[in-house]
Amino acid sequence: MTTALDRPVKPPQVFPSLSTRRKTVNNLATVLVFGSFIVAMVPLIWVLYTVFSRGLTALTSDDWFTRSMRGVLPFFEGGGAYHAMVGTLMQGAVAALFAIPIGLMVSIYLVEYADGSRLGRVTTFMVDILSGVPSIVAALFIYALWITTFGFSKSGFAVALALLLLMLPIVVRSGEEMLRIVPMDLREAAYALGVPKWKTIVRIVIPTALPGIITGLMLAVARVIGEAAPLLILVGYATYINYNMLEGEMGSLPGMMIAELNNPSGPGRDRLWGAALTLVLIIALLNIVANLISRYTGAKKK
């Protein structure tokens, strides 16, 4: 004779069975999400395929990475993008040299010291304004200030100043977001042990947020090195290598693309797409380096 205690007890049904309508809506939403992803990926793959297929001819030539365009006539084959790569990297490096420390210090102030103060609110507002400034407006501002007012000549340094204005809000915003992610418990534990606030920021907060900060910095550099408007306004295009950032024309990859755009012949068209592909590869390399650095510089887990 079986009792009520011997009977198997059915587990309670936590989730009720979904109705047909809910299943249909769920499946429809899944299809729409994947469809939107595919639609977004189609133009990206198309652009990358076009750049790679048309620019690979120039990149596989013997002189592309070792020679400049000095002495090469526009309608003749030959020449390379060495001068343009050097100019692009120099301008981006000088802009990053100023933007990274300034942006990080502003981020630290907004997260750790502002505490809703009037200066903090004004700084946040100005960063938001600066993040929406077009590149040509930044170039015109540097032209009016650096060249017209101060009397300096057009140069690669003026381009770097314009890139600094474009890079600064990205550095501030990325650094601010990464610093806010750091748990408050880490700060409070350091304060409980008697660690000063500045040392807590330097030794605990920044190392914890460093992987995300580095990724944001590399994205900021990749964002500005492809700008063409500052090049058109603040410096002329040179077919040779110019290591002087304060004087003279300077080559760059966007400038090379603009110069070769006016040359409809076969060699000019190949050099145009080759410069575009080189710029894409440099940006991809920066992202890879950022991932590697962030992987080996983050806070170690024990």
Side-chain angles (χ1 to χ4, degrees):
M1 181 177 179
T2 60
T3 63
L5 297 177
D6 297 331
R7 297 173 185 173
V9 179
K10 295 183 179 180
Q13 191 173 6
V14 180
F15 298 103
S17 58
L18 297 178
S19 63
T20 305
R21 178 180 175 277
R22 290 188 175 184
K23 292 181 181 180
T24 304
V25 173
N26 180 68
N27 294 332
L28 180 61
T30 303
V31 171
L32 290 177
V33 169
F34 278 100
S36 301
F37 171 75
I38 294 174
V39 170
M41 289 296 296
V42 167
L44 175 61
I45 296 175
W46 193 357
V47 169
L48 292 178
Y49 171 76
T50 303
V51 174
F52 271 86
S53 61
R54 299 190 179 186
L56 198 60
T57 303
L59 262 69
T60 53
S61 61
D62 298 333
D63 300 331
W64 184 255
F65 294 101
T66 58
R67 184 181 174 185
S68 65
M69 290 295 296
R70 179 189 288 272
V72 179
L73 297 177
F75 297 96
F76 288 86
E77 296 183 357
Y82 182 69
H83 66 296
M85 289 184 288
V86 170
T88 297
L89 294 177
M90 288 179 60
Q91 294 167 7
V94 172
L97 182 64
F98 290 95
I100 290 176
I102 296 174
L104 289 181
M105 285 189 288
V106 173
S107 300
I108 294 173
Y109 168 76
L110 292 177
V111 176
E112 303 292 339
Y113 294 98
D115 196 21
S117 63
R118 179 178 299 178
L119 180 59
R121 293 194 299 270
V122 172
T123 304
T124 302
F125 176 74
M126 296 306 296
V127 171
D128 293 337
I129 294 295
L130 192 58
S131 62
V133 173
S135 59
I136 191 170
V137 176
L140 289 174
F141 171 76
I142 296 299
Y143 182 87
L145 179 66
W146 185 256
I147 297 176
T148 304
T149 304
F150 292 159
F152 293 99
S153 61
K154 292 184 177 181
S155 61
F157 187 76
V159 176
L161 292 178
L163 299 182
L164 164 64
L165 295 179
L166 300 174
M167 186 178 177
L168 192 58
I170 304 176
V171 176
V172 173
R173 280 304 179 202
S174 60
E176 184 181 359
E177 293 300 325
M178 292 301 105
L179 292 175
R180 292 189 187 279
I181 293 177
V182 178
M184 186 61 65
D185 296 341
L186 296 178
R187 298 178 175 88
E188 293 176 352
Y191 298 153
L193 294 174
V195 181
K197 186 171 185 177
W198 69 268
K199 188 175 290 187
T200 301
I201 296 172
V202 174
R203 300 296 297 273
I204 297 176
V205 177
I206 293 180
T208 304
L210 193 59
I213 292 176
I214 293 177
T215 302
L217 297 180
M218 290 299 179
L219 291 176
V221 174
R223 157 70 175 81
V224 301
I225 62 174
E227 290 291 344
L231 301 172
L232 295 175
I233 298 174
L234 299 173
V235 69
Y237 171 70
T239 59
Y240 51 87
I241 300 175
N242 179 17
Y243 293 105
N244 188 359
M245 289 287 295
L246 299 175
E247 187 177 359
E249 298 177 338
M250 179 174 286
S252 61
L253 290 172
M256 185 177 182
M257 286 186 280
I258 295 173
E260 297 297 338
L261 185 63
N262 299 323
N263 182 14
S265 62
R269 186 170 59 251
D270 292 339
R271 289 191 290 263
L272 167 64
W273 287 104
L277 179 56
T278 304
L279 185 60
V280 171
L281 293 178
I282 290 177
I283 294 175
L285 182 62
L286 289 176
N287 286 292
I288 294 173
V289 171
N291 291 328
L292 293 177
I293 294 177
S294 63
R295 179 179 300 178
Y296 294 105
T297 56
K300 303 299 181 181
K301 296 182 179 180
K302 295 183 180 180

